[in-house]
Amino acid sequence: MKLTHKPSMISMILPILIVSMFLMILACEWTIATSSNALRSRALETCQAEISYISDALYSQLTEMQLQNVEILNHETVLALTVRSAILDRYETVTYENSIMKMIRSRLAQQNLAASAQLYIPTIRTLITPQKSSAVTEEEMQTMAELIRAFPDGMYYTDDSLGFWSASPLIRDPASLSGSRLMFTSIRRDALRSMLQKYTAHTGDYQLLLTYDSHVLANSHDILWDERVLADTEEGVKTVSMNGSRYYMIRAEHASSRLSLVGVLLVDHVMRTLYRHRQMLRILEAVCVLIMLLFTAAFYRVIIRPVRGISGKLREVGKGDFSVRMTPEKTRELNDVASTFNTMAEHLQQLIDREYTSRLLAAGAEKKALQYQISPHFLYNTYFQLRNLIVLEENEHAQHLADLMGRYLRYIVHQEGNSATLSDEMEHARNYAEIQSMRFAGRIEVRYDVPDGAWQTLEVPRLLVQPLIENAFLHGLKQREAGGLICLGLRETDGRVMISVEDNGQELTDAGIAELSHTVTQRQTADGDSVALANIHRRLQLHFGPDSGLYFARSDLGGLKVSICISTERSGE
């Protein structure tokens, strides 16, 4: 037989290794670039969310002060004095004025930020403060008129003070104030600064500025900022440089005034984790290149020479001769190959026998892994809610939330077995629902229809009900700004327990419900949420038989209804 020239193994493998190394380096560089951008975006989104929350809390207090101005202007005592001033004698007028002063003092005591207030009543040309009432002077009238002309949106500031003004009836012409009652409330700058400092107490690299246009009204730190830099900053995130340092400026504007809350963060502080991440990836890239080089050298020494003998032995095993053995080699590497081959032949049949058992163990491992699927967004949102309750000194709510979170985490990380009583599972679902209800207070209500019964002692796989409630919060009622409703119900019949979770979210079509049911029950998962539902369905059938599982239907509330069916006629695993 004529022999044809064949290329050597090293001449075939070496180009493959070089190309693989090149592609690996490109993949590492691409991973570094994309992951860095993702980390940066996530860090800035987190900062934006925090600034937005702080601005909402601050603007809420400021808006409350504006509304208080309007309430005082339209208080029945103020209106009575305004309308009846012409027929009141001096004693009655003073009585009304004293009543108004007392009311203003009471309202000021309820506001942490308020410093002082004054009410102007045009029919008696009197200026009433918490301490006294006096006839208004021309100079005071001129000062009020100048403030109203300069700050028509109701927020004013001077070198000495800042605050809000309101008028009733509304002022059509700032040049004429004769027919309108005016209320001015000034704000304590030190209290405003202290409030900003509370929100920044956790880090020294974080600074908050309250601005009117580009003028700084309050600053949590003593760093002075160029107003031209602030004037160029639009709502959102912008990178600026000052004194040789780069900062991220995150602006949240007030909807009804020219107020803005600006968060200032050092770029190096925000990107600190990103820099560490890049460094670790660079080290990993170098280690991978080194490993490939070492692997190439080892492959040449250990694999090329004995490959023909190994191939022959494998062909014999392939024919069914499991008695074939390799003789010990002179080098340790080849001797390991021979020992491994011999061990393989001895245990091949054992591995085949164990295949079925291995699959069952894999299914058990899959169930156990579900215990550790805790959403980082849920943890962050809960931590942030707890932190703000503490900052706002709502200690009872904070303690209640901490207790709920403790019970929730204790149940999640519990490792003593893969099952729990259905009573414990329902309690865990209720804990989760209460945590989410505190977060979505005023938007989403959770109702329970879970009577006591024999079902409470039933052993079930863990984490069945809570993922369904989570799905209703995050998807079923995602677009609901108010009026959201989730109902958790349980019914027990002969040989069956039915648990339902339904919401009044977006109405689904019959085709959409059928597609969801097919995706979950046939394991044709396309996204993370379908994977979670399919895992629950699979575990129910594995534990309680094919008659158990998840069922989907349109809820009477208008949204989706997901039901857990548990057949109690079959014992658990």
Side-chain angles (χ1 to χ4, degrees), residues 530-548:
S530 298
V531 168
L533 295 177
N535 282 337
I536 294 174
H537 179 77
R538 221 160 45 239
R539 288 190 294 144
L540 284 168
Q541 292 196 326
L542 186 64
H543 201 89
F544 297 105
D547 293 335
S548 302

Side-chain angles (χ1 to χ4, degrees), residues 81-141:
L81 179 58
T82 302
V83 174
R84 302 176 58 191
S85 59
I87 62 174
L88 295 176
D89 57 28
R90 181 57 185 166
Y91 174 77
E92 292 174 323
T93 301
V94 170
T95 300
Y96 274 107
E97 291 174 350
N98 289 335
S99 178
I100 293 173
M101 283 189 288
K102 183 178 179 181
M103 176 189 63
I104 293 176
R105 285 195 299 270
S106 175
R107 296 298 177 89
L108 286 180
Q110 300 172 11
Q111 295 289 341
N112 295 329
L113 297 178
S116 63
Q118 55 184 15
L119 171 66
Y120 169 65
I121 300 180
T123 56
I124 59 175
R125 292 188 61 80
T126 298
L127 201 61
I128 301 177
T129 68
Q131 292 78 28
K132 65 177 182 177
S133 63
S134 60
V136 67
T137 65
E138 289 299 325
E139 181 181 356
E140 291 172 331
M141 286 296 299

Side-chain angles (χ1 to χ4, degrees), residues 60-61 66 74 102 136 139 186 244 248 309 417 423 460 467 472 475 481:
S60 175
Q61 291 200 39
Q66 288 181 298
N74 295 285
K102 183 178 179 181
V136 67
E139 181 181 356
S186 64
Y248 285 122
S423 175
V460 298
H475 300 286
E481 295 297 331

Side-chain angles (χ1 to χ4, degrees), residues 71 301 350 400:
E71 291 177 2
R301 290 187 58 193
Q350 296 178 23
H400 182 56

Side-chain angles (χ1 to χ4, degrees), residues 260-548:
S260 295
L261 183 68
V262 180
V264 183
L265 303 94
L266 273 170
V267 171
D268 290 342
H269 174 71
V270 177
M271 306 304 290
R272 191 175 298 160
T273 302
L274 173 60
Y275 297 149
R276 289 198 300 267
H277 178 74
R278 284 179 176 174
Q279 185 178 10
M280 291 177 61
L281 286 179
R282 295 290 185 192
I283 294 174
L284 179 61
E285 181 180 359
V287 170
C288 289
V289 171
L290 180 59
I291 289 175
M292 287 202 70
L293 293 175
L294 294 175
F295 173 78
T296 302
F299 185 84
Y300 176 78
R301 290 187 58 193
V302 176
I303 303 299
I304 299 299
R305 288 178 294 182
V307 66
R308 181 170 295 182
I310 295 175
S311 177
K313 299 293 184 180
L314 288 175
R315 280 195 296 269
E316 293 181 33
V317 172
K319 294 177 182 179
D321 184 6
F322 296 105
S323 63
V324 63
R325 296 291 183 268
M326 291 184 65
T327 58
E329 300 290 343
K330 295 181 180 180
T331 63
R332 183 175 59 187
E333 292 81 6
L334 292 178
N335 192 62
D336 290 341
V337 172
S339 176
T340 302
F341 177 86
N342 294 335
T343 302
M344 178 194 70
E346 292 173 358
H347 295 287
L348 185 58
Q349 189 61 47
Q350 296 178 23
L351 292 175
I352 294 174
D353 294 337
R354 292 175 186 173
E355 177 63 19
Y356 177 73
T357 304
S358 298
R359 291 188 179 184
L360 291 180
L361 292 177
E366 178 186 15
K367 293 191 294 182
K368 192 173 186 65
L370 289 172
Q371 298 179 2
Y372 301 97
Q373 295 180 351
I374 306 176
S375 169
H377 295 291
F378 170 72
L379 291 178
Y380 171 77
N381 289 330
T382 305
Y383 159 75
F384 198 64
Q385 177 74 13
L386 178 60
R387 175 187 173 276
N388 286 311
L389 289 174
I390 295 173
V391 169
L392 297 175
E393 298 183 355
E394 295 184 15
N395 296 329
E396 291 185 3
H397 289 83
Q399 181 180 359
H400 182 56
L401 180 57
D403 291 341
L404 289 174
M405 197 60 190
R407 293 197 294 269
Y408 173 86
L409 291 175
R410 183 170 64 249
Y411 187 87
I412 285 290
V413 301
H414 181 74
Q415 298 184 24
E416 296 180 4
N418 295 323
S419 62
T421 65
L422 186 52
S423 175
D424 291 340
E425 179 67 13
M426 295 298 288
E427 181 182 3
H428 171 69
R430 184 185 288 263
N431 289 336
Y432 174 82
E434 287 191 34
I435 293 172
Q436 291 288 58
S437 295
M438 295 183 70
R439 177 186 170 198
F440 294 99
R443 285 180 51 193
I444 300 175
E445 176 187 3
V446 182
R447 296 178 183 173
Y448 307 91
D449 183 12
V450 184
D452 294 337
W455 60 266
Q456 293 175 293
T457 59
L458 179 65
E459 288 288 327
V460 298
R462 297 161 59 82
L463 298 177
L464 295 179
V465 185
Q466 178 253 316
L468 304 185
I469 299 178
E470 180 179 4
N471 189 68
F473 270 104
L474 299 183
H475 300 286
L477 301 176
K478 182 178 181 180
Q479 306 298 329
R480 280 276 187 174
E481 295 297 331
L485 177 61
I486 297 175
C487 290
L488 173 62
L490 185 146
R491 291 292 180 269
E492 185 177 15
T493 59
D494 292 338
R496 179 170 295 185
V497 175
M498 296 293 294
I499 304 170
S500 63
V501 178
E502 50 187 320
D503 59 67
N504 65 343
Q506 183 177 2
E507 183 175 354
L508 299 176
T509 63
D510 293 338
I513 295 175
E515 180 181 358
L516 176 60
S517 178
H518 181 75
T519 299
V520 171
T521 58
Q522 301 302 319
R523 306 184 187 180
Q524 298 178 359
T525 54
D527 53 51
D529 300 308
S530 298
V531 168
L533 295 177
N535 282 337
I536 294 174
H537 179 77
R538 221 160 45 239
R539 288 190 294 144
L540 284 168
Q541 292 196 326
L542 186 64
H543 201 89
F544 297 105
D547 293 335
S548 302

